[in-house]
Amino acid sequence: KDFVAKANTKKYPTAVLYGVFQADAGWFDQDQGSRSDYGPISSGADIRRFRLGAKGQITEHTNYAMQVDFGFFGRPTIQDLYVEQTDVPIFGNVRVGQWKQPFSLEVVSSFRYTTFMERSVLFQAFTPFRHLGVGFYDWTDDLNMTYAASVFAAGQDQYAGSMSLSGGYASAERITYLPMWECDGHEYVHLGLGHYFSTPNNHVTNLRTLPEAFIGTNPASTGTSGQGVSGSQNGTPFFVSTGNIYIDCFNVIGTEFLWVNHRWSLQSETMVNFVSTRDHAADAVFSQTNQGTAILPGTYAQLGYFLTDDYRPYDRKAGAIDRIIPKHSMAFCNGNCCSPGWGAWEVAARFSYLDLNANNATNVRGGNITDYTLGLNWYTTPYTKLVFNYVHSVSDPGTAPIGTPPYILNTNRANTNIFMTRMQVDF
Amino acid sequence: KDFVAKANTKKYPTAVLYGVFQADAGWFDQDQGSRSDYGPISSGADIRRFRLGAKGQITEHTNYAMQVDFGFFGRPTIQDLYVEQTDVPIFGNVRVGQWKQPFSLEVVSSFRYTTFMERSVLFQAFTPFRHLGVGFYDWTDDLNMTYAASVFAAGQDQYAGSMSLSGGYASAERITYLPMWECDGHEYVHLGLGHYFSTPNNHVTNLRTLPEAFIGTNPASTGTSGQGVSGSQNGTPFFVSTGNIYIDCFNVIGTEFLWVNHRWSLQSETMVNFVSTRDHAADAVFSQTNQGTAILPGTYAQLGYFLTDDYRPYDRKAGAIDRIIPKHSMAFCNGNCCSPGWGAWEVAARFSYLDLNANNATNVRGGNITDYTLGLNWYTTPYTKLVFNYVHSVSDPGTAPIGTPPYILNTNRANTNIFMTRMQVDF
Amino acid sequence: KDFVAKANTKKYPTAVLYGVFQADAGWFDQDQGSRSDYGPISSGADIRRFRLGAKGQITEHTNYAMQVDFGFFGRPTIQDLYVEQTDVPIFGNVRVGQWKQPFSLEVVSSFRYTTFMERSVLFQAFTPFRHLGVGFYDWTDDLNMTYAASVFAAGQDQYAGSMSLSGGYASAERITYLPMWECDGHEYVHLGLGHYFSTPNNHVTNLRTLPEAFIGTNPASTGTSGQGVSGSQNGTPFFVSTGNIYIDCFNVIGTEFLWVNHRWSLQSETMVNFVSTRDHAADAVFSQTNQGTAILPGTYAQLGYFLTDDYRPYDRKAGAIDRIIPKHSMAFCNGNCCSPGWGAWEVAARFSYLDLNANNATNVRGGNITDYTLGLNWYTTPYTKLVFNYVHSVSDPGTAPIGTPPYILNTNRANTNIFMTRMQVDF
């Protein structure tokens, strides 16, 4: 009896170990323009993500998560690191710490469940991702609607540690709605609307993105990490980039759409970034900007189809894509009379587009990129998958000399073909 | 039966996951002197600590702990990393590895239980903290006395890895006594005495401290880490610092006092550092020192009072402050008939002082600092707390030009106001 | 009933925390030649390894391991990070990710079980160690034979992240055989044969090794890590090194021998590296090479004897040395009537030799090294050990000026004595 009493007292805090890793390989094929714009990009293999963490409960209504990444360039990189109070009056769930700020369907959904190896070109350029802040999230009782908002520090160093200079701060809000939810979640339509505001550190920002590929090495560039890591080689170069521009703030509006019908899924997001620029004379570090508003648009649309009798589940409390659980996980039958399975197989295609050129006097000329992606996913078990992606990227990097008309880019059009494969495990 | 037997065999080694994180925000207000001495310090938010580790038992009498920090500047930073044998004849408990060396009550006590967000100005300047070494600790059978001693490597790199040049080594000893222990530990008096000896690497040391605040960014300084971390911004600058001085060795004597009476607690420590300096000509790296003994004193005193019916517990085997367990943890009652709680609330005030100027011919002129701190602690559960600290710091940094009389500092007196808040979770 | 059903569903994935750490101290004694070749090496103490990880099962036939090291220079360093499918037709076990590639007995065997503190001089110079790749391994039904092969990325950055430039790739194969296996594994003979092929990144490699010692600091050298870590001190310098040489590829052939007879063990490996060099003009970065084949040999032999009635076990599925489990772990008897134990005690001696000078026109002149080592191991429990090693190293570093005849080294012969001790814990 005493033992039971003590065991009950010791119920909290709980701690569960969790983790994930991805081993990637990528091959690049560049035309003359791509080589001239980005230099030769070496094919390669690398650890894309390697995360370990602990999560659990402090009390019945207090959760925490603490995770770190050892595979990315600024290693270790701080991932989720928060504590939240659930069942709070009015706000629902209140969270303090670092987590993916509420903006964009493909960002809020875990990378473990997304259709392609990398999120679209919108992700790096226009979404906040993880930051240190305070926020809340909740859902309606019928689970057809979620809403979330937060304020957070705007800057980050290469370890994903918060870096706040001159008080850079930001905020994000998101609302989602399910107009249709049938067949126990095998048929549904998700709609979402988000807003992201930021006053960056020292009023400087750099909007940029990779070509939906991280593997690939360009020794002459600081690549993926955006910051030189001493003695370490870096990944694929940014394909479009505004450079450091001097701004007051920026506002991004984003829409989300996801339609799932058994084996089929259709997903699309569109964003527009309204950048309030400041006057700034040209120097070695900053791109020259004039006062005004640069309006920068981007979008992606993707179609998926499961060859096996599987579908893409949905988390109604997070407003996010959930884990794919194959009807029949892969199994070999070495003489045993088990029923062999081949996992879940999915084919998919994506079109994505990002324009970082402002066709006005603000002088923001980050270039534009259009990507066409084909994908094949083999979900061998609920916790392992093999992914094959082919990306054809067409880009005009925005590195025109200062002083030329901003809407004319005199760089070469780059055509880059990328074939990538990934092995993923999580637990 | 076999199963039971096997389970018993597999009893060891055990492994338990443990961790902690703190999210901080800080706002700085500087007068003209402070801006002139330290440059403008940006307000900011950051992860102060983010630790994960494993601890357990190898046998019934062999324990281990292995913990790493991902939030501090030299990430990852090695924290506790030791193995110990308990029930050893004569020595009691023998430990090998890295841990907090036995010196100073506020150092030996976990940062998770201390009253203020940061330890006093004595901590960084005069105490050894974690080092790689060999030591022992034990207590008397009546638990009224503890004693501990160890020898260890004197130097450390920015990852808290041992760095021994020219054989730098050190030792520490500590003895504590409880003249009073009543009411099941709600009333007690703790007395302690410690000694810390060090012959630093290459006979060079730098005694210095932050103003009891870590958050706050000064891009022009290497800040908290004491060493530049490439591409990373650094924290609050050191407010007083001797610079690199050339010495034979130093000895610190420290006294400890803690009186707890139910809601009240009064805590104070005083230290004197006897630094045996060497002759050294001025150059770019070293401060000029002459042969002699620089006697550098410091002290702090703090008073705490719980607004709720709570108190500050004590660990009689470690001679250290223990975890505060609120009588009523915070709980919301959403329609349920539970009894709502508001956690434990504590107000506290601290005075601290450190003088790094030797008023003699040794030429050690590190400056002096006096801090006045007000604090409010909200222990929402035994494992979570919110802290609010206001620090008023008055300092004279010791950067007088070499050659001026050592007891006259011609720098500006700096007044700095700091408001800080912290969210802490551990499990 | 529902609870049981659910518990069964939740059976996978599993996750077990595992880890290890080693605290080392080392003392160096150098003659005039050693000081002139390598500079003064400071004695010191350091964390040699500090690893934490998770391993488990995704399904009954899918295993994973994820481990990271926080003690080595390029911290964090990625260690094992793989997923494997067992019971695969034809291949047996297929693995994807990063692990110790199948080559050399002392490499495939865990450092936790090896006889001396460091592997022989062959290890760093000639074996692949951990790389990112794809491979398989299997054994015969009678467990007398194992075979393994893999292909992998050739390069690595200082965090053990894969670094592939110009598509550097490599492969390794290993086969082992037990001609004798008696007395339940107390008497056996292990034979092994391996091959390692590599086309390094940019066709550049640097064959080199430490003197079987990692602790010891030379501030003027980049030391153990092979790459400067900003602000961090580095360890023992490489004692022999070819410098960066320009090659087509290299092939290493290795033989393995291990004979265990109760308390006695005799172990030896021999390797020959066939390096296909290219013409390359002298510059600041590369050693000058001519086209040809440099044939570089190395070997070690070691003898061990347990003073207590213990022996060295063997893992028949991995073809590797297994964990030593003392018959009587160490135990103190404080008045209790337990039976005291003193653990397992082993004495050992090793001779090792590596020649990185090619006596032909290829101009490869890395030097040569001969090490004589005496060791004493105290296995206090199956999971803890204390090690004492004395190394006498005789070396001719290959730093002759370019242009001198390659077979004449005009550097000084270096005699270095190293005494080292280690405390190890794993769980």
Side-chain angles (χ1 to χ4, degrees), chain A residues 9-232:
Chain A
T9 319
K10 284 262 176 190
K11 197 169 146 197
Y12 292 113
T14 64
V16 173
L17 192 65
Y18 71 122
V20 59
F21 89 84
Q22 297 172 327
D24 284 15
W27 291 266
F28 285 78
D29 168 54
Q30 301 177 273
D31 73 352
Q32 189 53 42
S34 177
R35 283 181 169 269
S36 137
D37 288 337
Y38 309 121
I41 305 176
S42 279
S43 302
D46 205 352
I47 308 296
R48 174 68 175 87
R49 290 179 175 97
F50 168 16
R51 297 184 183 176
L52 286 173
K55 60 184 175 185
Q57 287 187 292
I58 298 296
T59 72
E60 195 187 346
H61 299 293
T62 314
N63 308 314
Y64 71 87
M66 297 166 66
Q67 198 185 33
V68 71
D69 186 291
F70 302 111
F72 204 61
F73 292 97
R75 37 203 127 191
T77 325
I78 300 172
Q79 304 296 325
D80 281 340
L81 185 68
Y82 61 78
V83 57
E84 66 180 11
Q85 186 74 15
T86 62
D87 295 292
V88 176
I90 300 162
F91 291 104
N93 306 277
V94 174
R95 201 177 264 192
V96 178
Q98 178 159 306
W99 75 99
K100 289 188 289 187
Q101 296 303 326
F103 186 78
S104 172
L105 175 64
E106 68 172 356
V107 173
V108 170
S109 301
S110 172
F111 67 87
R112 294 169 298 169
Y113 315 145
T114 47
T115 308
F116 296 95
M117 280 177 64
E118 301 298 340
R119 294 183 176 102
S120 77
V121 289
L122 301 181
F123 164 52
Q124 285 189 305
F126 287 171
T127 72
F129 212 42
R130 285 190 180 84
H131 283 278
L132 184 66
V134 182
F136 76 93
Y137 66 98
D138 207 358
W139 49 85
T140 55
D141 286 345
D142 63 5
L143 296 177
N144 280 337
M145 218 166 154
T146 75
Y147 37 93
S150 60
V151 293
F152 48 92
Q156 260 181 336
D157 64 20
Q158 80 269 40
Y159 305 108
S162 176
M163 189 172 76
S164 294
L165 297 171
S166 312
Y169 68 97
S171 71
E173 306 89 37
R174 181 176 183 245
I175 185 162
T176 73
Y177 176 59
L178 286 174
M180 202 241 301
W181 179 265
E182 305 287 344
C183 296
D184 204 26
H186 284 61
E187 295 177 13
Y188 59 87
V189 172
H190 157 101
L191 300 176
L193 185 67
H195 170 242
Y196 165 35
F197 164 83
S198 179
T199 322
N201 290 343
N202 296 328
H203 291 284
V204 175
T205 196
N206 183 355
L207 305 170
R208 58 189 177 179
T209 194
L210 298 172
E212 300 174 344
F214 273 69
I215 300 305
T217 306
N218 183 349
S221 152
T222 52
T224 312
S225 68
Q227 277 171 295
V229 177
S230 61
S232 170

Side-chain angles (χ1 to χ4, degrees), chain B residues 387-403:
Chain B
V387 188
F388 305 90
N389 275 189
Y390 165 77
V391 179
H392 177 68
S393 175
V394 182
S395 53
D396 280 307
T399 51
I402 285 166

Side-chain angles (χ1 to χ4, degrees), chain C residues 47-341:
Chain C
I47 308 296
R48 174 69 176 85
R49 291 180 175 98
F50 169 15
R51 298 186 183 174
L52 286 173
K55 61 183 175 185
Q57 286 188 291
I58 299 297
T59 72
E60 197 188 343
H61 298 293
T62 314
N63 307 316
Y64 71 88
M66 296 165 67
Q67 198 184 33
V68 71
D69 186 290
F70 301 111
F72 204 61
F73 293 96
R75 34 204 132 188
T77 325
I78 300 172
Q79 304 296 323
D80 281 338
L81 186 68
Y82 62 78
V83 56
E84 66 179 13
Q85 186 74 15
T86 62
D87 295 291
V88 175
I90 301 163
F91 291 104
N93 305 277
V94 174
R95 202 177 262 193
V96 178
Q98 178 158 307
W99 75 99
K100 287 189 290 187
Q101 297 303 327
F103 186 76
S104 172
L105 175 64
E106 68 172 354
V107 173
V108 170
S109 300
S110 171
F111 68 86
R112 295 170 297 171
Y113 315 146
T114 47
T115 308
F116 296 94
M117 280 178 63
E118 303 297 340
R119 294 183 176 102
S120 77
V121 288
L122 300 182
F123 164 53
Q124 284 189 304
F126 288 170
T127 72
F129 212 41
R130 286 190 180 84
H131 282 277
L132 184 65
V134 181
F136 76 93
Y137 67 97
D138 208 359
W139 49 85
T140 55
D141 288 344
D142 63 5
L143 295 177
N144 280 337
M145 218 169 154
T146 75
Y147 37 94
S150 61
V151 293
F152 48 92
Q156 259 183 338
D157 63 18
Q158 81 270 40
Y159 305 106
S162 176
M163 189 172 75
S164 294
L165 296 171
S166 315
Y169 68 97
S171 71
E173 305 90 37
R174 182 175 182 246
I175 186 163
T176 73
Y177 176 59
L178 287 174
M180 201 241 302
W181 180 265
E182 306 287 345
C183 296
D184 202 27
H186 284 61
E187 295 178 12
Y188 58 87
V189 172
H190 157 101
L191 301 176
L193 186 66
H195 169 242
Y196 164 35
F197 164 83
S198 178
T199 323
N201 290 343
N202 295 328
H203 291 284
V204 175
T205 197
N206 183 354
L207 305 171
R208 58 189 177 179
T209 194
L210 298 173
E212 301 173 343
F214 272 69
I215 300 305
T217 306
N218 183 348
S221 150
T222 52
T224 313
S225 69
Q227 277 170 295
V229 177
S230 61
S232 170
Q233 298 291 337
N234 288 288
T236 315
F238 290 100
F239 269 36
V240 289
S241 168
T242 60
N244 283 337
I245 53 174
Y246 206 57
I247 68 170
D248 280 326
C249 65
F250 63 79
N251 281 276
V252 190
I253 305 290
T255 62
E256 310 172 8
F257 171 79
L258 171 63
W259 171 70
V260 165
N261 190 308
H262 300 277
R263 296 182 177 207
W264 290 95
S265 67
L266 178 63
Q267 179 182 331
S268 180
E269 296 190 67
T270 300
M271 295 180 195
V272 182
N273 194 343
F274 300 87
V275 185
S276 298
T277 58
R278 284 188 181 197
D279 277 316
H280 198 80
D283 62 25
V285 179
F286 295 95
S287 296
Q288 186 182 16
T289 45
N290 300 321
Q291 193 162 356
T293 300
I295 301 177
L296 309 175
T299 191
Y300 77 86
Q302 62 186 55
L303 184 70
Y305 176 74
F306 277 96
L307 303 175
T308 49
D309 187 19
D310 292 286
Y311 78 109
R312 187 164 294 279
Y314 183 83
D315 179 339
R316 296 178 78 176
K317 291 185 175 174
I321 294 162
D322 208 346
R323 183 186 295 277
I324 284 91
I325 297 179
K327 257 193 174 168
H328 301 285
S329 284
M330 194 184 63
F332 289 108
C333 295
N334 294 326
N336 300 326
C337 50
C338 74
S339 57

